[in-house]
Amino acid sequence: MISFIITTIICFITYLLLTTGSGSFLGLWSIEEILIGLILSLITGFITHGLFVKNNMRMANPMRWIYFIGYLIGPFFVSLAKANIDVAYRVITGKIKPGIVKIKPDLKTDLGITMLANSITLTPGTLSVDIDETTNELYIHWINVDEDALKKKPVDCKYICGNFPKWIRRIAE
Amino acid sequence: MLDMILTSIIYLLLAIGVFFNLLAGIGLLRFPDVYTRLHAGTKCTTFGSIFIIGSVILIGLKTWYLGDVNGSVLTIHSAVALIAILLTNPTGAHAIARAAHRSGVMPENAVIDELQIKGKKQKKTEKKETEDHT
């Protein structure tokens, strides 16, 4: 029941966000849009509540969302900017030393691994290629392999993604 | 005066965005293989799009502030587009890289390739299993 309510409310908010400027209710919406949106989000919530909320309320904690926004604005955006300067440097000079390495980030949930893989792709010099689903190990294509990092296997996370696993553990686990 | 400052900020953001998207294009032409090209194709386009969408959001907020409700449509729709780009761009790159490696495209001049080592091990164990069955 509670998963149905959460899904319906999120659907309704999304519908309202996408239909602003349609009328004069609160200056933004028309009554018809609100009615249709309510009916559609009730139907959608009824059909998809089992897919959207999976029997645990881990992500209902607002602290996790505050951490998530802090993570997006702080370390994530900084390393995205660094990544672009890095790629610009490599595009102009053509200095590359590629290789595929394995890391073991010790995250357990699907959401956490997805977030880490996406963050790794968008941060300096690294691109996630494959995942071992039984052990949650990631295979990373590294554009400029550091010889020091190869001495220990699997490669230490700090060379690839800094302290991202710590942040993601706080957000998603 | 304020209007002029806002307009120049919008143009500046557009210029930064276009510069990074241009860099992604040059990277696609200059890098040697599919993985390094994906590096250029994902990071630079995402970063460039953030700035371009930032400028569109500023235009939308300006129209909204001047009393036109259609500005809100521009603002919110481009923000949703930005979220979609942030989510799908790295996922798509990951899918392409994985498919490339599975179909046998190896990274050029690679120093190390642990995924290939793992693939060979798996093939060996699969062969052993089939031999045991026969």
Side-chain angles (χ1 to χ4, degrees):
Chain A
M1 188 61 203
I2 193 155
S3 61
F4 169 67
I5 294 169
I6 292 172
T7 317
T8 309
I9 289 172
I10 289 176
C11 282
F12 189 51
I13 291 172
T14 315
Y15 193 89
L16 287 185
L17 282 180
L18 289 175
T19 54
T20 52
S22 60
S24 56
F25 180 73
L26 288 178
L28 289 175
W29 297 282
S30 63
I31 302 291
E32 295 90 333
E33 285 285 11
I34 288 178
L35 276 178
I36 279 290
L38 200 59
I39 294 164
L40 282 178
S41 46
L42 278 172
I43 295 169
T44 318
F46 181 70
I47 296 170
T48 61
H49 67 93
L51 295 170
F52 191 68
V53 182
K54 278 187 180 158
N55 273 335
N56 68 53
M57 295 289 148
R58 230 177 334 103
M59 292 312 286
N61 184 348
M63 271 316 282
R64 290 179 188 277
W65 289 94
I66 294 169
Y67 271 129
F68 179 58
I69 291 165
Y71 167 72
L72 273 189
I73 298 168
F76 181 74
F77 193 78
V78 169
S79 52
L80 186 56
K82 264 192 215 160
N84 280 276
I85 293 159
D86 182 70
V87 169
Y89 170 73
R90 285 183 206 295
V91 166
I92 292 161
T93 59
K95 271 187 201 162
I96 52 170
K97 197 164 80 177
I100 294 181
V101 296
K102 181 166 81 171
I103 63 165
K104 198 169 170 47
D106 284 326
L107 296 168
K108 287 174 196 69
T109 57
D110 284 356
L111 181 68
I113 278 286
T114 312
M115 272 177 65
L116 183 70
N118 275 3
S119 309
I120 283 173
T121 299
L122 290 177
T123 51
T126 48
L127 175 82
S128 51
V129 176
D130 206 345
I131 180 174
D132 190 334
E133 278 173 42
T134 48
T135 52
N136 278 348
E137 289 165 331
L138 287 166
Y139 291 87
I140 311 290
H141 181 268
W142 199 356
I143 203 168
N144 190 26
V145 175
D146 187 348
E147 298 285 347
D148 292 342
L150 293 179
K151 283 171 191 160
K152 190 170 148 248
K153 291 192 181 168
V155 174
D156 205 341
C157 287
K158 77 172 184 218
Y159 290 104
I160 307 274
C161 47
N163 53 358
F164 282 179
K166 244 185 226 169
W167 276 90
I168 286 165
R169 207 162 293 138
R170 262 184 236 156
I171 296 163
E173 281 181 15
Chain B
M1 185 64 199
L2 200 68
D3 191 47
M4 211 182 78
I5 293 171
L6 195 65
T7 318
S8 37
I9 290 174
I10 288 168
Y11 277 122
L12 187 69
L13 286 180
L14 263 181
I16 295 172
V18 168
F19 170 72
F20 278 110
N21 278 347
L22 176 74
L23 209 62
I26 298 173
L28 280 181
L29 291 174
R30 266 184 69 100
F31 280 144
D33 66 338
V34 62
Y35 303 100
T36 40
R37 281 178 184 172
L38 277 174
H39 275 284
T42 49
K43 294 189 220 330
C44 292
T45 48
T46 315
F47 200 59
S49 306
I50 287 176
F51 281 102
I52 291 176
I53 289 173
S55 75
V56 175
I57 285 176
L58 271 182
I59 295 172
L61 283 176
K62 188 183 152 197
T63 357
W64 198 359
Y65 180 73
L66 293 176
D68 190 353
V69 193
N70 287 328
S72 72
V73 181
L74 200 58
T75 310
I76 291 167
H77 284 217
S78 21
V80 171
L82 177 62
I83 294 168
I85 287 174
L86 274 182
L87 281 177
T88 54
N89 206 341
T91 318
H94 165 66
I96 294 171
R98 187 161 185 258
H101 206 284
R102 292 213 155 186
S103 55
V105 182
M106 295 304 151
E108 246 172 64
N109 325 318
V111 184
I112 182 173
D113 193 343
E114 290 187 0
L115 188 57
Q116 202 181 357
I117 298 166
K118 177 202 162 203
K120 274 181 188 164
K121 267 184 199 166
Q122 262 184 355
K123 268 182 194 166
K124 268 184 194 170
T125 48
E126 276 168 16
K127 262 187 191 173
K128 265 186 192 172
E129 276 169 12
T130 47
E131 277 168 11
D132 288 346
H133 279 297
T134 53

